[in-house]
Amino acid sequence: MYLTKDEERLLESENETVRKCMEILVAEGEANEAERLIEVKSAHISGVSYDNIGDGGLEWLESLDAELKVPATLNPAGMDLERWREMGIDEDFYEKQMRVLKVFERLGVRMTLTCTPYYLLKPEFGDHLAWAESSAIVYANSIIGARTNRESGPSAIAAAIIGKIPYYGMHIKENRAPTIAVKIKGDLAAAGYEAGKVLRDEVPYFIFDRSVTEEELKLLGAALAATGNTVMFHAEGITPEWKDFDVPEEKIEIEGRIEGGCEPDLVTVGCPHASPKELEIILSLLKGRKVKREFWIFTAREVVRKNQDLVKKLEEHGIKVFSDTCMVVSPATSKFECVMVNSGKALHYLPKNRKVNVRFGDLKSCVETAVS
Ligand code: F3S
């Protein structure tokens, strides 16, 4: 990979963190046959929950010492920073998690603690990004038309410190061409869950048989990236680059329908983190009825701050609206037997990460189950 004189100097930097970060980027670039590095507008860092990174990750993070070149945001941690006791998080976990966050704060990373950074700092069409968090990557590439590969936690940190990322994959227009056309029917989160298993790393061109919302596309993309490796899709008539390429000849059909499952003792939505619109929909679906089961919503703290009345009303119905964390990366959900979700991504990861049984339903059935 070609490096400028300045970039070569960073590889020899006296600052060990800068040197390590350059080494990470050069290794990524060479493994993917990138020609050079390219400047990025922002980085989004995953691997924040102490539950995911453990003591090894914490030790590595604590060794870092450098300034950020570009704004960086942070994925969810393992607990709500204010209501961690209520979630059943123990002191030991709390302390370790706070040590992780202290590192990011010291480095100057924004304490967003959300997988939906695009609700806070929306990138623009064509921006090059270094984002880790598979659901945010699909959203940024597909719905916004920004450009990012699937970065890891360490490569996103390296990009934030160097301000650059290797130029390959989704950063190059021709690699964003759709490779397969897929007709989608039924629930989009369920369809994404099924489609990811079949499509793996294809760039699908979706055709819908009805009008769909941005929230549904968010759930579709998150599920696709969870059961497969998709980093981008096009949606006919909707996403910004759908007209830029020929429609692939190969066409398949996928129906999103998942039925049956266990009797939930927790209903939870907000994977990816809920938008203000999703909070409003939940409130209207409740029709004044209180929930009779545990019902947890996960969203960004910034969304809670800007929608305090809405959150208060939801909580008056017996719902708990947690921030900074989620049902998958927090150990708090492990204590339940059966968790109901409207997210294909949570459906995929909850049995693996939290060892719980899962049931799937759309948002309406989640609310109906919670009030019954
Ligand atoms: Fe976000 Fe957690 Fe789902 S990080 S996408 S809510 S698994």
Side-chain angles (χ1 to χ4, degrees):
M1 184 168 67
Y2 167 79
L3 295 180
T4 64
K5 287 267 171 311
D6 282 349
E7 289 162 359
E8 270 173 8
R9 267 196 291 275
L10 295 178
L11 267 180
E12 308 291 323
S13 171
E14 280 174 14
N15 179 318
E16 199 189 335
T17 301
V18 170
R19 223 165 48 233
K20 271 193 213 155
C21 288
M22 265 310 278
E23 282 166 11
I24 290 172
L25 297 183
V26 169
E28 180 185 351
E30 286 180 348
N32 291 285
E33 296 175 2
E35 284 171 21
R36 60 187 169 94
L37 296 176
I38 183 173
E39 287 184 1
V40 290
K41 285 271 169 67
S42 69
H44 179 72
I45 299 165
S46 67
V48 180
S49 172
Y50 172 69
D51 189 65
N52 288 358
I53 64 170
D55 287 329
L58 174 56
E59 209 176 294
W60 183 74
L61 285 172
E62 286 183 330
S63 75
L64 300 177
D65 188 12
E67 282 182 11
L68 301 190
K69 278 270 162 37
V70 293
T73 47
L74 215 50
N75 227 29
M79 64 194 187
D80 185 305
L81 299 196
E82 291 173 7
R83 297 168 70 179
W84 55 279
R85 283 183 203 278
E86 205 181 318
M87 292 184 83
I89 298 290
D90 64 44
E91 300 270 349
D92 187 46
F93 186 91
Y94 172 81
E95 273 162 27
K96 292 275 178 56
Q97 183 64 76
M98 292 312 284
R99 272 174 61 190
V100 172
L101 298 182
K102 229 171 119 188
V103 173
F104 288 117
E105 206 166 12
R106 175 169 56 76
L107 292 172
V109 178
R110 286 189 53 172
M111 296 287 114
T112 50
L113 298 173
T114 180
C115 49
T116 55
Y118 41 83
Y119 291 147
L120 314 176
L121 276 183
K122 199 167 180 164
E124 287 179 12
F125 181 88
D127 281 355
H128 291 276
L129 313 171
W131 280 17
E133 170 47 44
S134 63
S135 67
I137 292 161
V138 181
Y139 193 99
N141 277 320
S142 316
I143 297 170
I144 300 172
R147 300 177 176 199
T148 177
N149 287 318
R150 195 163 168 153
E151 300 301 338
S152 63
S155 73
I157 292 174
I161 287 171
I162 304 296
K164 294 178 182 175
I165 202 75
Y167 184 60
Y168 69 97
M170 288 298 117
H171 292 287
I172 300 169
K173 181 78 181 180
E174 67 207 46
N175 295 336
R176 301 167 69 84
T179 52
I180 184 166
V182 186
K183 206 161 176 205
I184 294 280
K185 287 183 171 171
D187 182 89
L188 262 57
Y193 178 85
E194 297 301 340
K197 294 188 241 172
V198 181
L199 299 174
R200 307 304 309 163
D201 54 5
E202 303 263 10
V203 177
Y205 177 94
F206 289 128
I207 303 158
F208 302 107
D209 62 352
R210 61 180 171 88
S211 66
V212 299
T213 65
E214 205 167 292
E215 272 73 14
E216 286 180 292
L217 291 177
K218 174 178 82 168
L219 288 169
L220 168 71
L224 266 180
T227 55
N229 289 315
T230 299
V231 284
M232 175 171 189
F233 64 79
H234 300 272
E236 192 170 76
I238 306 172
T239 50
E241 292 169 78
W242 76 275
K243 268 193 199 157
D244 294 2
F245 307 95
D246 294 335
V247 179
E249 275 170 23
E250 189 187 352
K251 195 174 276 182
I252 60 168
E253 196 172 297
I254 288 175
E255 178 157 13
R257 196 171 51 191
I258 300 165
E259 283 168 345
C262 49
E263 187 59 36
D265 49 353
L266 171 69
V267 178
T268 177
V269 305
C271 173
H273 275 174
S275 67
K277 191 169 161 201
E278 285 170 304
L279 299 181
E280 272 168 26
I281 297 172
I282 296 167
L283 185 64
S284 70
L285 288 169
L286 284 165
K287 299 189 191 113
R289 295 167 296 171
K290 288 207 166 165
V291 295
K292 293 188 184 143
R293 305 175 198 235
E294 281 290 310
F295 191 160
W296 293 3
I297 299 176
F298 292 95
T299 188
R301 183 160 301 281
E302 191 68 6
V303 168
V304 170
R305 203 181 57 77
K306 288 188 178 150
N307 298 273
Q308 287 179 19
D309 281 353
L310 187 53
V311 169
K312 193 165 164 257
K313 280 185 197 147
L314 287 166
E315 298 232 336
E316 281 165 3
H317 286 77
I319 293 176
K320 293 184 181 123
V321 182
F322 290 124
S323 302
D324 316 319
T325 186
C326 82
M327 66 288 269
V328 172
V329 300
S330 174
T333 39
S334 297
K335 64 178 177 245
F336 295 95
E337 290 279 315
C338 168
V339 181
M340 183 171 189
V341 293
N342 69 330
S343 156
K345 177 168 180 176
L347 182 69
H348 179 68
Y349 283 115
L350 276 170
K352 290 177 195 236
N353 293 33
R354 303 271 64 97
K355 310 275 179 283
V356 293
N357 296 311
V358 273
R359 175 162 159 193
F360 179 83
D362 62 13
L363 196 50
K364 192 166 176 229
S365 17
C366 282
V367 171
E368 289 307 317
T369 305
V371 298
S372 66

